[in-house]
Amino acid sequence: MSSTTSPFPDRIELTGEGLVLRDWTEADLALMPALFDDPDVAYWTPMVSPFDEAAARARLERDRQMRAEGTVILLAITEDGHEPLGEVMLRRAPEGTELGYAVGPAHRGRGLAVRAVRVMAAYAFEQLGVERVILELEAENAASVAVATKAGFSLLDVPLIEGEEKGRPYTLQTWGLDRAPVAG
């Protein structure tokens, strides 16, 4: 991260696509396990498992630290600014501006991830001035590939990312969405 990168604001609330993306609060801690203590979240994401209230508190504290450092924003996905239904992430790194998401099992199938990714991408383009946002996904994660496609991302012709998380090897594809050209 370069020293010219400015930190994110202390508070962020983004609206659009019928959603309100807002900061996580202490009031959300008791609700987070129902969203993230899930086999799919455990398998496809780096979130800890089991995900209990202690894990929620640690995540909230780490979120605040990373935001202060200007590297990551984690926002609760809501429809009305109240009950969290999932999470959307923006991570600034040397390799690009990456988005990520997780939706609680009771709230899947409603297009929440697609809409949240579009809202967060718009924030990255309009407020941060980035030219491209990326998603790093396993090809076998059909739900995430569908989100990428529906949100307008294209598979990029870049090397695969290989690694291991929680004792499981993975191979990630990189999907990209470019800023729309300015009319003029």
Side-chain angles (χ1 to χ4, degrees):
M1 195 95 157
S2 77
S3 59
T4 59
T5 302
S6 21
F8 298 120
D10 290 339
R11 294 186 43 77
I12 300 176
E13 183 174 285
L14 308 176
T15 58
E17 302 257 350
L19 298 177
V20 177
L21 308 180
R22 63 158 176 84
D23 293 315
W24 288 103
T25 68
E26 281 78 8
D28 297 322
L29 293 174
L31 303 172
M32 291 171 80
L35 300 174
F36 305 132
D37 191 34
D38 172 70
D40 286 333
V41 172
Y43 189 82
W44 298 114
T45 77
M47 284 193 211
V48 299
S49 179
F51 194 98
D52 56 15
E53 228 174 301
R57 179 161 302 286
R59 187 163 181 82
L60 181 61
E61 289 170 9
R62 186 161 184 258
D63 165 40
R64 290 176 175 165
Q65 176 188 353
M66 291 184 299
R67 181 175 308 177
E69 294 167 355
T71 56
V72 174
I73 301 170
L74 297 173
L75 298 177
I77 300 170
T78 77
E79 292 178 314
D80 57 6
H82 299 291
E83 179 190 359
L85 310 172
E87 174 176 88
V88 64
M89 175 209 69
L90 180 145
R91 181 175 71 91
R92 290 163 71 168
E95 63 273 11
T97 300
E98 178 188 0
L99 304 183
Y101 45 84
V103 174
H107 310 291
R108 294 182 186 145
R110 297 167 40 193
L112 295 168
V114 171
R115 294 183 284 151
V117 164
R118 285 185 192 141
V119 172
M120 191 65 100
Y123 172 79
F125 296 141
E126 296 162 14
Q127 300 300 315
L128 304 178
V130 304
E131 295 299 318
R132 172 180 281 168
V133 292
I134 61 171
L135 298 170
E136 295 175 343
L137 312 172
E138 291 184 64
E140 298 80 19
N141 187 343
S144 281
V145 170
V147 167
T149 303
K150 290 176 186 174
F153 285 70
S154 301
L155 185 59
L156 301 178
D157 186 19
V158 297
L160 297 173
I161 301 163
E162 295 184 350
E164 186 174 311
E165 184 79 40
K166 301 182 210 173
R168 181 179 80 80
Y170 63 79
T171 303
L172 302 175
Q173 300 175 325
T174 303
W175 293 71
L177 178 67
D178 293 331
R179 174 200 292 256
V182 177

